[in-house]
Amino acid sequence: MLELALKGSKKYYGWVAVLLGGISVGFAVYLWQLNFGLGLTGMHRDVSWGFYIAQFTFLVGVAAGGVMVVLPYYLHHYKAFGKITILGEFLAISAITMCLLFIIVDLGQPMRALNVILHPTPKSILFWDMIVLNGYLFLNIIIGWQVLEAERNAVAPPKWLKPFIYLSIPWAVGIHTVTAYLYCGLPGRGFWLTAILAPRFLSSAFAAGPALLILLCLIIRKMTKFDPGKEQIQSLAKIVTYAIIINVFFLLCEVFVVFYSRIPEHMDHLTYLFYGLQGHSALVPWMWTSMSLMGIAIILLLIPSVRANESLLAICCVLVFCGTWIDKGLGMISGGFVPNPLHQVNEYAPTIPELAITLGVYATGFFVLTVLFKIAVTVKEEAAA
Amino acid sequence: MNKQMYDKKNVIAGIVIFAVLVSFPFWYNLGKAAPAPELVLTDAAKAAKECVMSKEEMKAGHMQLLDMWREKVVRESDRIYVSAKGKPYVMSLSNTCMDCHSNKAEFCDRCHNYSSVTPYCWDCHIDNPKAEVKNFKVSENSKEAK
Amino acid sequence: MENSRRDFLKIAGISALAVAGAEPVLNAFASEHGEEASKAAGFQKEEKALTAKQWAMVIDTRKFKSAKDLEPIIEVCHKIHNVPDFSKENKRHIIKWIWEEEYKHAFPGDASGFTDERIEHLPFLVLCNHCEEPPCVRACPTKATFKREDGIVLMDFHRCIGCRFCMAACPYGSRSFNFRDPRPFIEERNPQFPTRMKGVVEKCNFCAERLAAGQVPACVEASKGAIAFGDLYDPESEVRKLLKSNYTIRRKAGLGTGPTIYYIV
Ligand code: SF4
Ligand code: SF4
Ligand code: SF4
């Protein structure tokens, strides 16, 4: 089926060229980073994980979010989603690709990455994260490809695929849970040391993933002859609405515990993020923006007529996506490292090379996404014709 | 889906070009095999007469030996290696190997270059400690540190 | 010893593939029971090596008056371990194994507004605590950070992939990362100790290389008696004697990491 990705319109090729350009720039800067070291980034002794790991965390969520179309279809036999499960699976593949790339670009010695397998250490959560992420990638490649191939040949997907599909559903929850465990099991990092971290991650994932999927559906409808369907989009919108509300609720639970108990080690991180600490407040405007975006999105999404209007819905999805991105892609990692364990404030801001590499990874992910969606949509168009 | 072969000519040409490109390094070097490198022993190495293993074993297996040394020293805190002849050596690339073979360029590099390998041992381990050690001074009581 | 010899035979075997004329030597290796063979090709600790069940330190802060007293201690550690100096270059890339902190930073949970004057302004030496339950070891995905049998939490720079999970896990900020090649920033290097390469994490190694040679850590030696070093599980050791007769505190002991650096205040 891969050949389907080769035949496309001028616009398609233009977009692919833009992505390839982004990839080349990112790759060139990465070679520079490889040569110089991670000193090219804004990270330092105190904030030792930065933009890369934050994007990784956010994208694990996007990947897990894909399950929100798979689950209703296979477990609740919600037939409408049958049309778009493939989009959820392919979105997961590209998101996981980006996750793995972000891990690689964040390593100080990427050539030794295989040491994680050569010296397996089950006590380390990173070991498990590697297993669940690669497993999820593998599951989605198998499932997505088989289902699409079957659709193309107008036959039912092979029987042996069923167990894999059922496995992929808890697995999606697993990838984001394990990713949260990376952070929330560390003593002395009060911001992450909370049992609600994994649920928070999941709720924001189930908001951001489907929100992105809605946007992609709308784009596909505009650009191609395949219509993902009005009902499908409306159902996704409800999922986004529930998830973003739960996400904000979980956040408020955290805020209550932290500010009512007033234990400095837990409170100071949130204080830093929302009010600034010891005169440092780089993230304050971002965090309030994030809160407002999510708040406005909730209010709008709760109004049925707004949700039913697809242009307004699209705006809401952008708000949700940006709100959760700031929350996780900016605040979640820096917030945990500031103040440092000695209660000193050393802020972090990404550098330009760091952003270029990040863009390169995103371009790679969107390239994979474009190619996969192109194939999926062409198959759907052929089937309809 | 169609099993018929299109553009037979182009496909065959493509395969030929691919084969030529892949084998490029082989035929490029054909007939001009570089002579095996001459290694230079320092006076210290000559005087010692023997290494930690026989010359042949060292030639073939010094990398495995070093790999095991580092495992022993770093992870198991064994620091002494006893050779087949019963002679003890401190397992240290800088302080034992390079103490005798203080001429990295004429000893290590020649062979490594010849076989195009670039071990990164010397990114961390200092290649000629003898030359530097005289100048290195810390406070009175800790100058013996190694 | 048994293990070592088996490992060694592996090497000998590899070499034998390439070497035809080495039979006599190999035979000597292979005769498992021969007296000679057990002597041959083995590994040992250095005879004068110092050993313990769990090394520990007691820092008597009463013996320090000002930051000046700490300088030579910090200097000797950084110098003999080839710790680069980025203070003039880019502060972001700074690497430190042992350094001074104010009380309120070394013990952030315990400081109050009414600490006595001596303590409030006293510089505290901080370094890796060589924790008994080290979270950094738990987090490391490659065992590049591991706990040695004598309790030292050690780094294997050859194996470290630079993921910095250990830095997130350490609740004391004891670890530094080589954000770039450190060599140009080592003013005068100790040729007998390796430098590091870019992309790996490093920290205090409790002077493992000196213990192997029968010497106490360099900072202990340079402290003129203010720092004691010994086995935490030997009732006769110097640290145990000090712990018995003095009130001591540890950094963030409430986290359960079991830090083995004790402070007399
Ligand atoms: S102080 Fe930090 S680096 Fe040292 S052993 Fe404890 S957790 Fe690990
Ligand atoms: S940076 Fe190195 S030592 Fe630290 S956790 Fe990763 S592999 Fe282990
Ligand atoms: S024990 Fe050794 S490595 Fe650790 S701080 Fe003291 S001198 Fe430095």
Side-chain angles (χ1 to χ4, degrees):
Chain A
M1 284 190 289
L2 267 176
E3 76 278 1
L4 295 181
L6 292 177
K7 261 186 275 159
S9 63
K10 272 222 176 87
K11 250 193 223 149
Y12 170 72
Y13 273 110
W15 171 237
V16 167
V18 168
L19 291 176
L20 288 176
I23 294 173
S24 335
V25 172
F27 188 70
V29 181
Y30 179 63
L31 289 181
W32 180 19
Q33 178 188 295
L34 208 55
N35 181 43
F36 183 87
L38 280 165
L40 219 53
T41 68
M43 291 183 267
H44 47 82
R45 220 180 161 279
D46 289 337
V47 183
S48 45
W49 281 335
F51 216 55
Y52 300 148
I53 293 296
Q55 301 316 304
F56 154 80
T57 311
F58 178 73
L59 289 166
V60 173
V62 173
V67 81
M68 277 292 144
V69 286
V70 176
L71 186 147
Y73 177 65
Y74 287 102
L75 289 191
H76 300 287
H77 304 289
Y78 178 59
K79 289 278 170 315
F81 273 177
K83 215 170 163 189
I84 55 167
T85 50
I86 189 70
L87 300 184
E89 281 145 3
F90 280 176
L91 176 62
I93 293 178
S94 56
I96 293 284
T97 310
M98 288 187 264
C99 291
L100 295 175
L101 285 174
F102 273 119
I103 294 272
I104 296 294
V105 299
D106 187 66
L107 290 183
Q109 284 290 338
M111 278 77 72
R112 296 183 192 157
L114 282 184
N115 278 2
V116 178
I117 296 160
L118 295 176
H119 306 285
T121 314
K123 269 191 190 161
S124 171
I125 300 296
L126 205 56
F127 170 77
W128 293 107
D129 212 33
M130 177 209 66
I131 290 180
V132 290
L133 286 179
N134 283 297
Y136 195 60
L137 181 63
F138 171 79
L139 281 175
N140 276 293
I141 291 178
I142 301 247
I143 297 168
W145 205 253
Q146 287 295 335
V147 167
L148 196 62
E149 182 103 32
E151 187 172 342
R152 190 181 197 198
N153 299 332
V155 293
K159 272 229 172 60
W160 56 261
L161 200 62
K162 268 280 154 74
F164 285 99
I165 293 173
Y166 289 132
L167 181 63
S168 79
I169 293 170
W171 203 288
V173 178
I175 57 168
H176 218 16
T177 306
V178 174
T179 303
Y181 286 0
L182 285 177
Y183 310 108
C184 69
L186 306 176
R189 300 280 178 192
F191 184 56
W192 302 326
L193 191 67
T194 164
I196 200 115
L197 200 70
R200 255 183 86 188
F201 274 22
L202 283 166
S203 58
S204 92
F206 293 154
L212 180 58
L213 212 49
I214 291 178
L215 293 172
L216 291 171
C217 284
L218 292 174
I219 293 173
I220 286 176
R221 180 195 281 160
K222 220 171 172 179
M223 300 292 213
T224 72
K225 289 194 224 65
F226 170 62
D227 180 7
K230 205 161 171 64
E231 185 193 342
Q232 284 78 352
I233 291 178
Q234 285 306 312
S235 304
L236 278 175
K238 277 186 209 122
I239 293 173
V240 173
T241 312
Y242 276 118
I244 191 71
I245 291 174
I246 294 174
N247 183 42
V248 171
F249 168 65
F250 284 166
L251 176 70
L252 292 176
C253 291
E254 177 71 17
V255 166
F256 168 77
V257 169
V258 160
F259 283 108
Y260 196 79
S261 68
R262 302 199 87 71
I263 300 172
E265 266 151 50
H266 295 262
M267 185 172 65
D268 290 338
H269 300 279
L270 275 178
T271 312
Y272 164 69
L273 286 177
F274 287 98
Y275 301 104
L277 197 68
Q278 301 172 19
H280 298 273
S281 53
L283 285 174
V284 172
W286 289 98
M287 293 316 287
W288 285 109
T289 308
S290 163
M291 291 304 120
S292 330
L293 292 179
M294 291 198 277
I296 296 170
I298 289 178
I299 296 170
L300 290 177
L301 282 169
L302 279 175
I303 306 169
S305 59
V306 172
R307 225 168 42 226
N309 178 333
E310 283 183 353
S311 351
L312 289 179
L313 177 63
I315 295 174
C316 291
C317 287
V318 172
L319 298 183
V320 167
F321 190 80
C322 294
T324 48
W325 180 81
I326 296 172
D327 181 29
K328 246 179 179 168
L330 276 183
M332 185 55 71
I333 302 304
S334 291
F337 282 117
V338 183
N340 76 0
L342 294 104
H343 217 270
Q344 295 147 335
V345 176
N346 283 313
E347 292 191 283
Y348 157 82
T351 59
I352 289 173
E354 201 173 357
L355 294 175
I357 293 173
T358 304
L359 273 181
V361 175
Y362 269 106
T364 315
F366 275 96
F367 177 74
V368 173
L369 186 76
T370 306
V371 167
L372 290 177
F373 271 27
K374 172 77 174 56
I375 295 171
V377 167
T378 312
V379 168
K380 303 260 183 197
E381 284 172 344
E382 277 175 7
Chain B
M1 299 295 117
N2 204 326
K3 295 268 145 54
Q4 195 188 327
M5 202 173 189
Y6 298 107
D7 295 333
K8 211 171 198 171
K9 252 193 243 151
N10 284 348
V11 170
I12 290 173
I15 291 174
V16 169
I17 291 174
F18 178 75
V20 167
L21 281 182
V22 164
S23 60
F24 178 79
F26 298 100
W27 57 260
Y28 180 74
N29 279 328
L30 214 66
K32 44 179 171 175
E38 278 289 313
L39 301 192
V40 178
L41 289 180
T42 58
D43 291 339
K46 274 187 206 141
K49 286 212 179 70
E50 54 174 17
C51 198
V52 297
M53 293 198 299
S54 75
K55 185 175 163 190
E56 286 70 27
E57 286 171 305
M58 283 308 277
K59 236 189 216 165
H62 67 280
M63 10 359 188
Q64 284 85 357
L65 182 82
L66 285 171
D67 195 39
M68 210 159 80
W69 276 20
R70 81 175 179 190
E71 203 76 6
K72 290 286 164 194
V73 171
V74 178
R75 307 191 73 88
E76 289 164 40
S77 56
D78 289 343
R79 298 230 169 198
I80 303 292
Y81 164 83
V82 185
S83 76
K85 295 194 175 141
K87 205 170 160 202
Y89 296 90
V90 173
M91 290 186 274
S92 166
L93 175 63
S94 278
N95 300 323
T96 302
C97 308
M98 308 307 288
D99 191 50
C100 265
H101 303 289
S102 47
N103 54 338
K104 171 168 170 282
E106 293 152 326
F107 190 74
C108 314
D109 292 352
R110 278 199 186 164
C111 238
H112 291 156
N113 292 343
Y114 175 69
S115 43
S116 350
V117 290
T118 38
Y120 57 56
C121 312
W122 294 283
D123 280 7
C124 298
H125 297 278
I126 286 153
D127 59 34
N128 186 358
K130 250 189 305 199
E132 284 181 43
V133 78
K134 283 179 234 98
N135 310 323
F136 182 75
K137 273 245 163 56
V138 280
S139 68
E140 299 291 85
N141 33 20
S142 16
K143 60 171 166 274
E144 256 188 275
K146 18 175 189 170
Chain C
M1 197 67 196
E2 205 39 54
N3 229 342
S4 310
R5 206 162 60 237
R6 216 173 309 125
D7 285 347
F8 192 83
L9 286 171
K10 248 191 287 171
I11 289 196
I14 291 161
S15 316
L17 291 178
V19 186
E23 274 125 77
V25 191
L26 290 175
N27 288 345
F29 289 160
S31 60
E32 287 268 328
H33 311 288
E35 174 65 12
E36 219 156 329
S38 62
K39 234 200 297 162
F43 300 93
Q44 295 172 356
K45 301 226 179 315
E46 285 198 52
E47 260 163 39
K48 38 189 179 160
L50 304 178
T51 54
K53 193 155 169 255
Q54 167 71 58
W55 288 116
M57 242 180 213
V58 178
I59 301 180
D60 190 344
T61 61
R62 294 169 306 188
K63 296 196 172 143
F64 296 123
K65 293 287 168 288
S66 67
K68 257 221 151 71
D69 298 339
L70 305 185
E71 266 165 27
I73 300 175
I74 296 167
E75 194 195 301
V76 70
C77 170
H78 286 181
K79 214 161 171 191
I80 64 166
H81 292 119
N82 292 329
V83 176
D85 178 10
F86 285 103
S87 59
K88 291 179 215 93
E89 181 67 13
N90 186 343
K91 288 237 167 49
R92 274 216 312 270
H93 303 156
I94 244 165
I95 291 179
K96 41 193 183 184
W97 285 26
I98 177 170
W99 70 100
E100 50 157 292
E101 285 295 347
E102 281 175 68
Y103 177 70
K104 64 171 191 243
H105 292 307
F107 299 87
D110 306 336
S112 83
F114 308 101
T115 314
D116 79 81
E117 256 177 50
R118 182 182 66 89
I119 299 290
E120 198 184 343
H121 301 294
L122 192 70
F124 278 72
L125 273 178
V126 293
L127 62 153
C128 168
N129 286 290
H130 296 276
C131 303
E132 292 196 74
E133 295 289 338
C136 55
V137 171
R138 222 178 301 144
C140 178
T142 63
K143 301 191 191 81
T145 286
F146 60 101
K147 195 158 175 68
R148 224 164 63 151
E149 52 188 13
D150 59 359
I152 297 184
V153 174
L154 209 60
M155 284 279 320
D156 184 344
F157 304 117
H158 307 105
R159 193 184 282 187
C160 174
I161 59 173
C163 65
R164 311 189 296 296
F165 202 3
C166 52
M167 293 178 78
C170 173
Y172 306 97
S174 303
R175 299 176 155 261
S176 308
F177 180 70
N178 284 281
F179 281 100
R180 55 183 300 186
D181 180 14
R183 276 207 173 169
F185 304 93
I186 304 168
E187 217 166 279
E188 200 189 335
R189 60 188 182 185
N190 174 4
Q192 291 174 316
F193 196 81
T195 64
R196 265 69 62 194
M197 66 198 297
K198 66 169 181 261
V200 299
V201 165
E202 64 180 85
K203 65 168 194 74
C204 151
N205 67 351
F206 248 13
C207 285
E209 81 287 357
R210 288 172 57 94
L211 296 175
Q215 298 167 307
V216 295
C219 58
V220 175
E221 211 171 69
S223 73
K224 304 206 185 83
I227 308 178
F229 186 78
D231 187 353
L232 195 57
Y233 291 97
D234 171 7
E236 299 308 313
S237 72
E238 205 188 335
V239 293
R240 279 291 290 277
K241 280 182 194 146
L242 282 170
L243 291 177
K244 215 181 283 173
S245 53
N246 291 281
Y247 174 71
T248 51
I249 54 172
R250 292 182 294 168
R251 297 173 66 198
K252 299 191 183 176
L255 295 178
T257 52
T260 64
I261 311 288
Y262 291 76
Y263 296 84
I264 303 177
V265 288

